[in-house]
Amino acid sequence: MSLALREAGVDDGNTNAQARHSLLQLAITESRTMLSTGFRPRLVDTLKSYNRQLLRDDIMAGITVGIVALPLAMAFAMASGVTPQAGIFTAVIAGFLAAVLGGSRLSVTGPTGAFIVIIYGIVAKYGVANLLICTFMSGVMLVLMGIFRLGQVIRFFPLPLITGFTNGIAVLIFLTQLKDFFGLPVEKMPAGFFAVMQVLREQLGNFHWPTLLLSGASLLLILLWPKRLNRLLPAPFVALILATLATALFSLPVATLGSKFGGIPQGLPSFGGLDLDPTHLSDLLAPAFTIALLGAIESLLCAVVADSMTSDKHDSNQELIGQGIANMVAPFFGGIPATGAVARTATNISNGGKSPVAAMVHALLLLLILLVAAPLAASIPLAVLAAILISVALKMGDWDIRKAFQFPKRDTAVLIVTFVLTVVFDLTVAVQIGLLMAAVFFIRSMASHTSVNRLLPEYAQLFERHTIAGKHVPDGCAAFRVEGALFFGAADSVEIIHQQAEQARVIILQLHRLVMLDTTGLLALDSLNDKLRVQGKTLILCGATDEVLDMLKGSRLVDDLGADNLQPDLAAALQRAEQLLTSGVVWG
């Protein structure tokens, strides 16, 4: 969008009417494009039957979610290496826009723990200005994913992979919060697992007693807070209030938002252009794609959780578009990447939220806090925010090790490798390697379930319902059946036909149990036909499903075979074989 402003002759820092007009024109153009692709937010459908009772339920749920979101938004932002107000700005702007434009009725959007490691690395390497560029680029990618209807991509990520990187992120969040939890005398935690471990090893003994007591008490309160009270008074909010009061009343010598950031500025977030640096643009593509990919996974998982709790059905492509627009707009107000937040969404549902209005109320409540109560945030101790994040990390991961041993070994390997790579190296590398491993294991499994078996008369005696039952295979003919998927990982399965049908002059290949045929498998059939033809033999294909039949007819294989050698079922294929053998003209 910054480039669009420059093309319109508007400077990045310009906040006058000309800038707003250019943004409006760009938004209108994008809206027209999305309308042509089926752009329809869930809010539109919800408002058709909206009433006063639903509004009351949404307001009550939205207020509760806003109370939960306030400490989380600040904590996630600080852990990511940016100011706490950046987290609140994100929750306000992205949370409101995603609710208005998204495809899930009850999802709540804001900064989440999954992004902490990625954002921290970007800030450490490229700075906050380039983080805003990354966020905008990821938003564009999310919109494109939705426009090109890639919302079902979540199905291609196996559960062990998701569990592996989620647990890895949880460990990294835990490690990065130990500085503020123990009050270590370190200016800033470095990026990277080994650097963090080095700092912890050197400084962990220099912890600060008052900070540790405050953070430890806050963590215990959060973990032990009764569930029956959590609906009315969320544990993170209670911990935040009590720790802040204790710090102010007893003048505890601990670091606070005021001492580190000067508090939170009161007032509306201000609009600002993005400072695009072309020299870093290519370097930012990879982290932007990582943000977009993780944002898509988190948002769609969140929508699935909401559906499971309410028997609702979200629009995955619309959700990606809504999340994308939210991430495109938020950086212009200093916001960081946002996505659907499972904990806040569950809080919304459990407190009676009925429509996207509840998430809108949550964003408006946070805006009201910015306008009215921002000066009070200066007394919030960093220790309680660290305790909140550590509790998030503990609850975020799936730590039941027994589950890993219930998986097949290949899935356990994917989980462990993804977890280790996420913690030690990088989330992008972890997802890439994890997906590659999962794909290789899947290909091997598919290939192992592909077979080519000869149809023998004995089968008719053993299995009355076998396709060969009641049929006669003439002398000089051999019939085979392909089972499974004939694809690049198992295309060589048809080579067995040469070994088992040396004496036959007509070969029948039954395809009714062929579930998938790709180009490599098609070429393998073509190669088989060529080899048999050189030997003076005829190949007959029969029983192909509609999908496989369309693929066969769309290739040159049917021309090479001859239309008469492509039969609908085994009975017709055997009649064709009898005809060829009787006439003595096997090939032709």
Side-chain angles (χ1 to χ4, degrees), residues 88-169:
I88 301 180
F89 293 165
T90 303
V92 170
I93 297 165
F96 189 87
L97 289 175
V100 173
L101 303 173
S104 176
R105 186 166 57 91
L106 293 167
S107 287
V108 178
T109 295
T112 64
F115 283 133
I116 288 176
V117 180
I118 302 170
I119 297 173
Y120 192 89
I122 294 172
V123 171
K125 191 171 184 179
Y126 301 109
V128 175
N130 283 313
L131 169 65
L132 301 182
I133 297 290
C134 260
T135 305
F136 176 80
M137 291 168 63
S138 70
V140 174
M141 293 176 187
L142 283 168
V143 170
L144 292 175
M145 287 181 189
I147 290 176
F148 289 106
R149 312 196 68 78
L150 299 179
Q152 299 302 319
V153 69
I154 187 67
R155 295 185 302 175
F156 301 118
F157 286 77
L159 179 61
L161 175 73
I162 295 174
T163 303
F165 75 68
T166 301
N167 285 9
I169 290 172

Side-chain angles (χ1 to χ4, degrees), residues 28 94 98 187 297 313 317 350 374 417-418 459 491 503 530 562 576:
I28 291 172
E187 180 64 24
I297 295 172
K313 181 66 176 177
N317 296 308
S350 62
V417 169
T418 305
Y459 292 165
Q503 306 302 319
D530 289 342
R576 172 60 178 165

Side-chain angles (χ1 to χ4, degrees), residues 58 68 292 434 443 445:
D58 284 337
V68 172
I443 291 169
S445 177

Side-chain angles (χ1 to χ4, degrees), residues 142-210:
L142 283 168
V143 170
L144 292 175
M145 287 181 189
I147 290 176
F148 289 106
R149 312 196 68 78
L150 299 179
Q152 299 302 319
V153 69
I154 187 67
R155 295 185 302 175
F156 301 118
F157 286 77
L159 179 61
L161 175 73
I162 295 174
T163 303
F165 75 68
T166 301
N167 285 9
I169 290 172
V171 169
L172 289 174
I173 293 173
F174 179 87
L175 292 175
T176 56
Q177 292 311 299
L178 293 181
K179 167 187 171 294
D180 289 330
F181 190 87
F182 286 94
L184 302 181
V186 179
E187 180 64 24
K188 185 178 181 181
M189 291 295 282
F193 173 76
F194 294 108
V196 169
M197 295 304 295
Q198 177 70 18
V199 170
L200 292 176
R201 184 168 62 252
E202 294 174 353
Q203 299 292 340
L204 198 57
N206 300 323
F207 62 87
H208 186 236
W209 271 109

